[in-house]
Amino acid sequence: MHSKSTSQEQASWGLKLAAWGGLVFLHFPIAIIFLYAFNTEVGAFSFPLQGFTLHWFSVAFAREDVLESITLSLQIACVATLIALVLGTLAAAALYRRDFFGKDGISLMLILPIALPGIITGLALLSAFKSLGIEPGMLTIIIGHATFCVVIVYNNVIARFRRTSYSLIEASMDLGADGWQTFRYIILPNLGSALLAGGMLAFALSFDEIIVTTFTAGHERTLPIWLLNQLGRPRDVPVTNVVAMLVMLVTMLPILGAYYLTKGGESVAGSGK
């Protein structure tokens, strides 16, 4: 009995070490970028670091091309997220309770843009825009980002709908509330954190998207495309590291926020307890 318990403990420690080893392996390149964003040396990576400086931050934010790319990415992410919040919430509200002909097909169409490889989605969007005579630009990037951001919002909202008891809506209507009052005081408070989490995830996904953007951008240059173009400029490595660190922070914080907002979702009012 004792040997069995010991072997289970060893297996548990082995799994923990493997998990931590995997996390270190995945995050080690990110840590390297963070470190070399403060390196004093210009040019390629060298070890050990030659010194510590904040000079490259001022250089990066003084460059017009960097600021323009950041501004464009923020604008696109905000608009795409807003569109995704509206369409994703409406789609979830329409699909979560009723069964009707074609429901599974509509659900599949909503999920496809994010389930397919990005290059397939990008080519499909480019072909559609060309056939409609729409020139690639900011509008096409927003449409392309919104197609897969809708899925993020839809999944969050429909999951929250399914955990919200319909008896709350019925009780509200029995007490004399109209549709708008029921939506404002019953449905929206229950969806609040799901909408916020879905919006944050959609924003993060849009901000650092590059594959679909490459096919829909035309002459526009978002921040990920700017970073891709920087790979052939070795003397700009410190500035590139600073901007890459900014991208990772901007996308990481909403994802962490969305995680903390949704991890207690099972305790939502009317969840069936």
Side-chain angles (χ1 to χ4, degrees):
M1 192 72 174
H2 178 69
S3 60
K4 184 178 180 180
S5 176
T6 303
S7 62
Q8 288 178 341
E9 290 179 3
Q10 290 175 345
S12 176
W13 276 106
L15 288 173
K16 289 179 181 178
L17 288 173
W20 279 107
L23 288 172
V24 170
F25 176 78
L26 290 172
H27 290 87
F28 182 73
I30 297 175
I32 292 295
I33 290 175
F34 274 59
L35 283 175
Y36 279 89
F38 301 95
N39 190 20
T40 56
E41 185 180 359
V42 179
F45 294 103
S46 63
F47 187 83
L49 272 68
Q50 302 304 304
F52 182 90
T53 181
L54 296 174
H55 170 67
W56 304 117
F57 287 82
S58 60
V59 172
F61 289 108
R63 286 180 52 163
E64 296 255 347
D65 56 338
V66 174
L67 296 178
E68 288 174 0
S69 299
I70 292 173
T71 302
L72 180 63
S73 288
L74 288 173
Q75 290 173 343
I76 291 170
C78 288
V79 178
T81 300
L82 182 60
I83 294 172
L85 283 171
V86 174
L87 297 182
T89 303
L90 291 175
L95 295 174
Y96 93 101
R97 284 192 70 243
R98 303 294 183 187
D99 289 324
F100 54 87
F101 178 75
K103 178 179 178 179
D104 292 338
I106 294 173
S107 299
L108 179 62
M109 288 174 62
L110 283 168
I111 296 170
L112 269 181
I114 202 168
L116 291 173
I119 191 169
I120 303 297
T121 304
L123 282 170
L125 287 166
L126 180 60
S127 299
F129 294 140
K130 289 294 184 182
S131 64
L132 294 172
I134 302 173
E135 288 299 318
M138 183 174 178
L139 176 62
T140 56
I141 300 174
I142 291 171
I143 295 172
H145 286 198
T147 56
F148 54 78
C149 288
V150 166
V151 186
I152 305 298
V153 177
Y154 168 79
N155 285 337
N156 276 274
V157 174
I158 201 167
R160 183 57 56 85
F161 267 131
R162 288 169 178 164
R163 290 198 297 265
T164 303
S165 175
Y166 191 71
S167 61
L168 291 173
I169 299 173
E170 292 176 332
S172 173
M173 297 171 69
D174 286 343
L175 292 171
D178 57 27
W180 168 248
Q181 289 173 321
T182 300
F183 174 77
R184 180 181 177 185
Y185 295 110
I186 303 299
I187 298 176
L188 194 58
N190 278 281
L191 295 182
S193 60
L195 285 171
L196 184 58
M200 293 168 73
L201 286 172
F203 179 88
L205 192 62
S206 173
F207 188 80
D208 70 353
E209 164 58 38
I210 186 169
I211 300 176
V212 173
T213 310
T214 302
F215 289 94
T216 57
H219 297 294
E220 300 289 349
R221 188 164 62 172
T222 62
L223 195 56
I225 292 179
W226 181 89
L227 285 169
L228 183 64
N229 293 337
Q230 287 295 109
L231 294 178
R233 300 176 180 177
R235 291 195 63 81
D236 277 352
V237 166
V239 175
T240 305
N241 288 333
V242 169
V243 178
M245 185 176 72
L246 171 69
V247 172
M248 285 184 282
L249 288 175
V250 168
T251 53
M252 178 180 66
L253 294 177
I255 291 171
L256 290 175
Y259 166 74
Y260 283 108
L261 283 170
T262 55
K263 70 175 183 175
E266 67 280 355
S267 62
V268 67
S271 60
K273 291 186 178 181

